């Protein structure tokens, strides 16, 4: 906490901030605060529908503060923080089942993880659960809207057995992973992880469709993997679609994952890398 890094702007979508219908004073204040943080307008919702208020202000999207959550709504898609998939994976881990990402990371309690591509945060929550109270998880996110929504979700989502402590421990930073990695000393994190937007998107995933609205879609560069190898004490892990040419392009010779899973993990050990 307390670190400052150049913030990253990705999406060029225009938006305003508003509330749900009949907001409380607290929600209105939170919406005004977000508007000032993003340097965009705040608008009273009154009785306007999402479509009407979007058209009235001539913007692409809305950041809406409601009692349940804060969401970004644009073109029929809605992005908001929810620990759904992480909750399921943690339940499976507790039942003794393997998690392919954790296996690829060979993550142990007490270890540190740098998640370079935080997105909705599911992988970071699972990593934080496994690394435990003596571990450390930092999540980097290029999109200011994703990092604000996920960062505040991680720190305020209602208490739930097993996942609350894991969520609260994650340190979220809105920055570009290249900037952050360049600032690190060798061996700063045990594991450095990348889950970039896939080169060939899986359109079946509605959750990812809403992330795609806001996310940085650029591919990982070989130079970035070299920076990560230098900053990792143990290994660098990349998630991609099974069979993706990205593994070979980026130099991942060891690729693991469930036999029938749609995704796989490239693993590069740090051993032997010269500082
Ligand atoms: C596929 S999502 C990650 C999903 C995440 N692993 C999860 O479990 O929810 C990829 C995220 O990485 C972010 N991203 C892409 N390039 C980045 C960069 N250069 N620096 C920081 N974040 C980046 C995107 O904006 C997007 O939110």
């Amino acid at each position: 906490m307390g670190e400052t890094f150049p913030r990253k702007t990705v999406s060029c979508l225009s938006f305003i901030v508003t509330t749900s219908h009949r907001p409380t004073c607290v929600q209105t204040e939170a919406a005004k605060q977000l508007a000032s943080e993003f340097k965009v307008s705040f608008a009273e919702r009154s009785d306007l529908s999402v479509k009407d208020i979007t058209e009235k202000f001539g913007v692409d999207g809305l950041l809406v503060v409601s009692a349940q959550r804060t969401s970004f709504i644009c073109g029929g898609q809605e992005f908001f923080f929810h620990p759904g998939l992480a909750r399921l994976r943690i339940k499976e881990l507790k039942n003794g089942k393997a998690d392919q990402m954790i296996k690829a990371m060979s993550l142990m309690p007490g270890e540190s993880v740098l998640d370079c591509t935080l997105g909705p945060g599911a992988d970071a929550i699972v990593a934080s659960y496994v690394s435990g109270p003596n571990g450390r998880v930092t999540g980097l996110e290029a999109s200011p809207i994703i990092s604000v929504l996920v960062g505040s979700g991680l720190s305020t989502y209602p208490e739930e057995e097993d996942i609350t402590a894991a969520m609260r421990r994650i340190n979220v930073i809105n920055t570009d992973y290249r900037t952050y990695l360049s600032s690190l000393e060798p061996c700063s994190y045990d594991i450095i992880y990348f889950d970039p937007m896939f080169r060939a998107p899986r359109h079946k995933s509605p959750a990812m469709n809403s992330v795609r609205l806001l996310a940085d879609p650029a591919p990982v560069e070989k130079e970035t993997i070299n920076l990560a190898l230098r900053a990792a004490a143990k290994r660098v892990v990349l998630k991609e679609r099974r069979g993706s040419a990205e593994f070979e392009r980026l130099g991942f010779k060891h690729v693991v994952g469930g036999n029938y899973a749609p995704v796989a993990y490239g693993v590069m050990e740090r051993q032997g890398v010269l500082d």
Side-chain angles (χ1 to χ4, degrees), residues 116-117 177 193-199 208 216-220 237-240 246 250:
C116 287
T117 49
Y177 51 58
Y193 177 66
F194 295 88
D195 172 17
M197 301 305 286
F198 291 165
R199 296 303 87 212
M208 265 307 140
D216 185 339
V220 179
V237 176
L238 170 81
K239 176 175 164 188
E240 246 297 344
E246 289 296 271
L250 295 169

Side-chain angles (χ1 to χ4, degrees), residues 152-200:
S152 69
L154 288 169
S155 55
T156 60
Y157 195 83
E159 299 275 324
E160 240 179 72
E161 201 195 345
D162 298 323
I163 62 169
T164 308
M167 292 194 293
R168 304 289 191 260
R169 282 194 295 267
I170 300 168
N171 179 24
V172 176
I173 306 175
N174 171 217
T175 192
D176 186 304
Y177 51 58
R178 287 161 291 206
T179 311
Y180 190 81
L181 287 169
S182 309
S183 76
L184 292 178
E185 296 292 325
C187 303
S188 294
Y189 287 86
D190 291 309
I191 291 129
I192 300 193
Y193 177 66
F194 295 88
D195 172 17
M197 301 305 286
F198 291 165
R199 296 303 87 212

